[in-house]
Amino acid sequence: MNRLNQLFVSKKDNLLSIYYTAGYPALNTTVDIAEALEKAGVDFLEVGFPYSDPVADGPTIQHSSEQALENGMTLNVLFEELAELRKRVTIPILLMGYFNPIVQYGIEKFCKKAAELGVDGIIVPDLPMYEYEALYSAHFINNNLSNIFLVTPQTSEARIRKIDALSNSFIYLLSSSSITGGSLQLTNNIEDYYKRVKAMELKNPTIIGFGISDRATFTKACEYANGAIVGSKFVKLLGEEDYMGKIPGFVESIRS
Amino acid sequence: MKIKVCGLKQPENIAAVAALGANYLGFICYGRSPRYIGALPVEVLAAIPASIHKTGVFVNETAQNINLLIDKYGFDTVQLHGDESPEFSNAFRNKVTVIKAFGVDNEFDFGQLENYANNVDYFMFDTKTSGYGGSGKTFNWDILNNYRLNVPFFLSGGISLDNLDEVKKISHPQFYAVDLNSRFETEPGIKNTDKLEQAFDIIKNKTLQMKYGVNEHGYYGDFGGAYIPEMLYPNVEELRQQYINIINDADFKAEFDDLMKNYVGRPSPLYHAKRYSEKYGANIFFKREDLNHTGSHKINNAIGQILLAKRLGKKRIIAETGAGQHGVATATVCALMGIECVVYMGEIDMARQAPNVSRMKMLGATVMPASSGSKTLKDATNEALRDWIANPVDTHYIIGSVVGPYPYPDMVARFQSIISKETKKQLVEHTGKELPEYVLACVGGGSNAMGMFYHFLDDEQVKLVAVEAAGKGVDSGHSAATTFLGQEGVLHGSRTILMQTPDGQVIEPYSISAGLDYPGIGPQHAHLYKINRAQYVSVTDDEAMQAGLLCSQMEGIIPAIESSHALAQLEKMKFNPSDNVVICLSGRGDKDLDTFIKYFGY
């Protein structure tokens, strides 16, 4: 059982996760930001490693990725930073990024290294279920790393069941079919979708992400899921002056 | 797998079946068969292309009569369907190929074939009947596992559209050809060409699947697949489930064929370039895709996909474009069908291909500038994918090349395969045979090359040459020579070869030709490269520009700079005078006039 599993055993509601891009706004900020978020009460972290062609991301995270690459962020640099991180931060950490940098690093080597450094799970939007299951799942399982799948309003019930069976930490529910950084408009359709998934009584907890940006959207999401993830809104904050000083207030504004 | 159609007897029907491109046609010279050719005029067989083997089928006929009919009809193959002995069979091999047929049932003794093994070229296994074949029934094909000799065989007896899937599962190493007969007829001896064409498609697809085609999960060897975020899964899955059924549907085919002929202007000519032939010392042919409506091969795929989108009930089309050729083709078919069209194009490409931006706008499309990343084709593709994520239900994404998640690489290749399908027929007219020695095409993502290679993939003796853009030189840091500079990875939804940093970031390629300026290649190309079925070479900006000028001044054809890359490769090759060489002239150079003018200072 990794830190993520333990978290979901001990806490079932209103879980808050924050996403940010490693290497943005500057190199060597990953650990400081993580520590500040843990102190502000965030339950787990998603650290993005940048990619040149992030098709599932909107302008905010695209920009942070471009900037991070310009700053010199690579998987090797990130792993150096993570070696420091586990000395100062205890909450679960997920890495999130696209598949090609992992392929270049070596999939098996990546899983091994991430696990060694205390990473608990991986989110790779462009690694779908068939490819994961048929080609790569052994590397994740052997290293006790959770692979987190996404579910959208269009995902069929049968497919959600399959995803539930393949998952061993939580399922990432997208608030809508969109790229990151949109604003969540809670239509009847979306609420029906949340209800539909909730009624399936999945074995894994669910966390809602994409379009969660303030207290209202966070609270709404938590009615249907075990928690929610804030991404683009926080990445925007990192582009501001004195972002370190603003982190506690930001977290407070989402969940007190 | 080769195809034999047997039991033809009526002149017009024979011509129609020959046009479908079987490998063998069979003519029954046995008076008791309802398919007996009788007094069929010799001219009917003489008109059959030389690439098709003409087979005389005999049952216990005398050697004298067989020899007479071989001479009369020009048979190059005889099929002995009676109780002929090994020695009798062998006697014809000095002038024709010999197939010895046997009726097979569950008690069949394969041991009796041993005496024939060195005396015939092929066996045929047909269903055992009280007479000599013609039962229309299948036998238990599992029994073929007992056949262990190394003489290849034809499978005959009751093969139909209903059991072709079963036929495709037979994996015997000596399984050489299928023999199609009574189940493809309107009456004995008269073949149904629609049914035969369907069967040919199914069988040829299998041939591709066996060697170079896509498997059920979308892979070509190590490459391909569908590496897409879950947000795109329903869109791509809908396509995956539907595309084969839709494009094999008779209505779809009829509409596609009609538009290809009457709107696009196909078949595009296969032009024997005489001055080029003299210069390069071989028979050089240009496949004139530049003469298609909208000026390139891109329209073939755009027509196919718009018809597919219509059948999927889509109300809005998106596309990406680099040089603008695919954007123009997509805007064109959307105008034709009255469907909303949004084309994503890199800001930098919009500036260097301004005339095509105007054309798209005039055709009623909205051109959306891609201003992220490097502002060229790969970023236009990213933006189109983001649009599709946000509009999953009503929108179809017309990808312009053999790239992207499965089923796109296969689907686009199928639509473009019309290029090589026509070429084979046209080569027979020009040269008397359907196979050339060389086939050349330029490769960015690789759609014209895939279309040009498609029907030659299984003809291993045909050398396939794919020409990439070296830009200012492969070592200059300004290049798009993907196979030379790239490594395996994942780009735009498929596992392929792409140009990237050691950290897996995509490198922006460079070529003077916007259409070749792409950091990856289609997954099927990656596979053909890795297994050496095709040769991948590269040509610099300067070499391509000179080739474009040469073609303009020697043949009176101003080619697209993309196609000029393929032409430039001729300078580097050595031919025998008898070699037939086909080059895909994928597009016309009008769109490139500005670039040519700046380069040469006209």
Side-chain angles (χ1 to χ4, degrees):
Chain A
M1 192 180 271
N2 63 31
R3 290 175 201 85
L4 259 183
N5 304 129
Q6 283 162 1
L7 172 68
F8 289 115
V9 168
S10 63
K11 198 170 169 188
K12 303 224 178 322
D13 303 303
N14 294 317
L15 290 160
L16 172 63
S17 174
I18 298 281
Y19 167 93
Y20 63 103
T21 308
Y24 179 80
L27 272 189
N28 304 317
T29 51
T30 311
V31 183
D32 291 343
I33 293 170
E35 196 172 31
L37 286 169
E38 178 171 32
K39 279 193 181 136
V42 168
D43 294 299
F44 63 102
L45 302 174
E46 277 177 54
V47 178
F49 49 95
Y51 180 49
S52 54
D53 294 77
V55 293
D57 286 304
T60 303
I61 294 179
Q62 282 176 44
H63 169 75
S64 69
S65 300
E66 271 175 43
Q67 187 62 51
L69 289 172
E70 242 171 68
N71 293 343
M73 179 50 69
T74 64
L75 274 177
N76 279 313
V77 172
L78 175 61
F79 284 148
E80 281 169 28
E81 293 189 4
L82 288 180
E84 184 62 28
L85 187 137
R86 272 294 169 226
K87 295 177 191 160
R88 289 157 59 186
V89 176
T90 59
I91 56 177
I93 290 178
L94 303 164
L95 295 185
M96 182 167 188
Y98 293 83
F99 196 42
N100 195 54
I102 300 179
V103 173
Q104 278 312 297
Y105 191 88
I107 299 155
E108 187 173 5
K109 192 175 141 202
F110 173 88
C111 290
K112 196 161 177 275
K113 185 78 182 175
E116 266 172 32
L117 294 171
V119 171
D120 302 287
I122 311 285
I123 307 174
V124 188
D126 59 346
L127 176 57
M129 194 160 61
Y130 166 76
E131 270 70 18
Y132 170 76
E133 188 183 11
L135 307 172
Y136 312 112
S137 57
H139 303 315
F140 287 75
I141 293 162
N142 293 343
N143 289 292
N144 198 23
L145 273 182
S146 300
N147 180 46
I148 285 92
F149 291 100
L150 310 184
V151 160
T152 80
Q154 274 76 42
T155 308
S156 70
E157 177 163 346
R159 192 167 163 84
I160 295 175
R161 293 274 176 220
K162 181 100 199 270
I163 284 172
D164 193 34
L166 280 176
S167 300
N168 60 4
S169 59
F170 72 92
I171 293 172
Y172 194 140
L173 292 191
L174 265 58
S175 60
S176 64
S177 184
S178 70
I179 53 177
T180 57
S183 59
L184 180 60
Q185 266 127 30
L186 205 62
T187 62
N188 287 341
N189 284 344
I190 298 292
E191 236 176 316
D192 286 349
Y193 150 67
Y194 288 164
K195 284 180 188 160
R196 178 163 60 85
V197 175
K198 190 166 181 155
M200 287 177 70
E201 299 185 345
L202 302 173
K203 76 174 170 77
N204 287 281
T206 52
I207 302 285
I208 292 175
F210 284 39
I212 310 297
S213 59
D214 53 20
R215 184 182 301 267
T217 46
F218 177 79
T219 308
K220 195 76 194 170
C222 290
E223 281 178 30
Y224 299 99
N226 303 75
I229 302 164
V230 179
S232 297
K233 185 77 180 195
F234 183 71
V235 173
K236 266 189 197 141
L237 178 91
L238 295 180
E240 295 173 10
E241 298 274 310
D242 184 32
Y243 59 86
M244 287 302 291
K246 292 176 180 170
I247 288 176
F250 178 87
V251 174
E252 179 89 6
S253 76
I254 307 276
R255 185 192 68 182
S256 40
Chain B
M1 195 193 303
K2 304 290 180 188
I3 302 172
K4 175 168 173 282
V5 179
C6 200
L8 297 138
K9 66 177 184 185
Q10 196 260 337
E12 282 165 17
N13 191 236
I14 291 171
V17 173
L20 296 176
N23 306 101
Y24 294 81
L25 295 182
F27 301 93
I28 296 179
C29 308
Y30 176 49
R32 292 169 65 182
S33 165
R35 299 174 184 83
Y36 177 48
I37 58 169
L40 187 67
V42 293
E43 303 83 59
V44 176
L45 267 71
I48 295 172
S51 58
I52 300 176
H53 298 289
K54 287 169 276 193
T55 309
V57 181
F58 302 92
V59 178
N60 298 333
E61 190 52 81
T62 64
Q64 190 187 5
N65 281 342
I66 292 174
N67 278 317
L68 270 175
L69 288 169
I70 288 173
D71 294 340
K72 179 179 173 187
Y73 284 114
F75 293 134
D76 59 20
T77 307
V78 296
Q79 177 181 325
L80 304 175
H81 221 103
D83 309 309
E84 298 84 0
S85 70
E87 297 71 30
F88 184 90
S89 305
N90 193 23
F92 302 99
R93 290 178 76 199
N94 57 2
K95 55 170 152 183
V96 295
T97 302
V98 174
I99 305 169
K100 179 69 189 87
F102 294 89
V104 175
D105 61 11
N106 283 340
E107 279 71 51
F108 186 74
D109 170 21
F110 283 94
Q112 66 181 289
L113 303 180
E114 279 170 27
N115 292 334
Y116 286 92
N118 292 320
N119 291 299
V120 301
D121 299 290
Y122 299 98
F123 290 125
M124 175 178 284
F125 299 132
D126 191 6
T127 308
K128 188 177 175 81
T129 62
S130 51
Y132 297 97
S135 67
K137 290 184 182 144
T138 59
F139 61 92
N140 171 18
W141 294 330
D142 290 340
I143 202 165
L144 292 170
N145 293 330
N146 299 338
Y147 173 61
R148 303 274 160 72
L149 299 175
N150 53 15
V151 178
F153 67 86
F154 289 66
L155 179 67
S156 184
I159 296 172
S160 72
L161 286 175
D162 297 329
N163 57 30
L164 272 179
D165 282 340
E166 294 302 308
V167 173
K168 285 158 67 176
K169 288 180 190 151
I170 299 173
S171 61
H172 197 291
Q174 296 301 340
F175 184 20
Y176 172 74
V178 285
D179 189 41
L180 309 180
N181 194 341
S182 64
R183 304 292 292 270
F184 295 88
E185 291 184 327
T186 50
E187 58 183 279
I190 308 299
K191 306 301 172 192
N192 179 331
T193 49
D194 283 347
K195 275 191 177 178
L196 279 176
E197 195 165 13
Q198 275 186 52
F200 284 24
D201 283 351
I202 294 169
I203 294 164
K204 286 178 179 173
N205 172 34
K206 167 60 180 173
T207 315
L208 286 173
Q209 277 186 359
M210 281 159 61
K211 276 198 157 162
Y212 303 113
V214 75
N215 73 16
E216 60 185 307
H217 298 296
Y219 281 83
Y220 306 85
D222 297 336
F223 302 104
Y227 291 82
I228 44 163
E230 185 65 23
M231 296 82 102
L232 285 175
Y233 179 81
N235 315 28
V236 171
E237 179 63 10
E238 179 185 31
L239 268 184
R240 192 186 68 78
Q241 287 185 3
Q242 305 273 0
Y243 85 109
I244 292 281
N245 288 340
I246 290 177
I247 66 184
N248 281 334
D249 174 69
D251 276 355
F252 179 94
K253 280 186 172 172
E255 197 174 354
F256 182 77
D257 291 348
D258 175 65
L259 286 170
M260 282 293 141
K261 184 175 170 206
N262 298 310
Y263 187 72
V264 178
R266 300 200 75 94
S268 67
L270 184 71
Y271 164 67
H272 184 200
K274 297 196 181 58
R275 295 188 68 197
Y276 255 54
S277 298
E278 230 165 78
K279 177 173 166 59
Y280 291 109
N283 298 310
I284 311 279
F285 296 91
F286 294 169
K287 181 60 176 165
R288 297 290 308 274
E289 293 299 301
D290 61 315
L291 293 178
N292 292 341
H293 178 43
T294 74
S296 81
H297 69 290
K298 293 289 186 189
I299 192 78
N300 304 331
N301 169 51
I303 295 260
Q305 286 203 46
I306 197 81
L307 295 180
L308 185 85
K310 249 177 57 178
R311 281 160 177 79
L312 292 171
K314 303 293 178 179
K315 306 275 183 271
R316 179 174 174 270
I317 296 296
I318 56 172
E320 85 296 335
T321 196
Q325 293 302 88
H326 172 58
V328 167
T330 304
T332 299
V333 297
C334 286
L336 180 68
M337 298 291 163
I339 297 182
E340 182 190 351
C341 179
V342 177
V343 179
Y344 288 89
M345 189 169 186
E347 265 181 359
I348 291 176
D349 291 336
M350 285 178 74
R352 59 180 173 174
Q353 304 285 338
N356 273 344
V357 176
S358 304
R359 287 167 83 190
M360 286 185 268
K361 288 182 177 167
M362 192 167 169
L363 289 160
T366 305
V367 182
M368 296 288 289
S371 51
S372 61
S374 53
K375 304 177 177 59
T376 59
L377 177 57
K378 82 174 173 70
D379 309 284
T381 308
N382 293 340
E383 289 302 334
L385 286 168
R386 288 178 188 128
D387 181 311
W388 209 22
I389 287 172
N391 298 286
V393 179
D394 67 337
T395 298
H396 175 69
Y397 178 16
I398 300 189
I399 292 183
S401 192
V402 286
V403 302
Y406 177 67
Y408 278 101
D410 184 53
M411 183 167 75
V412 177
R414 284 169 189 256
F415 290 140
Q416 293 295 1
S417 71
I418 192 168
I419 300 173
S420 47
K421 190 175 175 186
E422 287 175 3
T423 301
K424 273 194 162 178
K425 282 189 189 165
Q426 292 165 324
L427 274 172
V428 172
E429 289 162 21
H430 280 286
T431 68
K433 49 183 190 175
E434 65 177 14
L435 302 184
E437 274 66 32
Y438 294 92
V439 173
L440 280 73
C442 63
V443 176
S447 68
N448 93 81
M450 215 58 244
M452 188 74 245
F453 292 171
Y454 197 92
H455 289 286
F456 295 111
L457 285 173
D458 280 348
D459 301 307
E460 309 270 354
Q461 66 271 46
V462 178
K463 298 179 194 73
L464 308 174
V465 182
V467 186
E468 297 182 335
K472 293 178 178 167
V474 287
D475 298 321
S476 66
H478 302 278
S479 178
T482 305
T483 56
F484 190 81
L485 296 168
Q487 294 83 32
E488 293 182 22
V490 171
L491 178 68
H492 294 144
S494 61
R495 188 150 185 151
T496 185
I497 296 171
L498 63 138
M499 292 166 54
Q500 53 187 315
T501 66
D503 192 43
Q505 309 300 334
V506 182
I507 291 176
E508 182 58 19
Y510 163 81
S511 164
I512 194 167
S513 140
L516 302 182
D517 204 350
Y518 184 70
I521 46 171
Q524 194 170 11
H525 280 296
H527 181 53
L528 296 178
Y529 167 74
K530 193 169 181 180
I531 61 170
N532 286 319
R533 172 63 189 99
Q535 188 191 359
Y536 288 74
V537 297
S538 63
V539 152
T540 64
D541 286 356
D542 290 338
E543 291 165 336
M545 295 304 275
Q546 291 299 337
L549 187 64
L550 186 76
C551 184
S552 305
Q553 300 191 345
M554 278 188 71
E555 294 289 349
I557 297 169
I558 300 178
I561 300 175
E562 289 81 5
S563 320
S564 302
H565 281 74
L567 291 167
Q569 177 62 18
L570 288 171
E571 293 281 343
K572 305 179 179 184
M573 297 175 71
K574 289 227 175 352
F575 300 112
N576 293 318
S578 61
D579 285 348
N580 295 317
V581 180
V582 180
I583 298 172
C584 189
L585 217 65
S586 54
R588 68 176 85 125
D590 307 33
K591 69 178 176 65
D592 296 317
L593 275 185
D594 257 7
T595 314
F596 277 123
I597 290 165
K598 278 191 197 124
Y599 188 88
F600 289 110
Y602 285 110

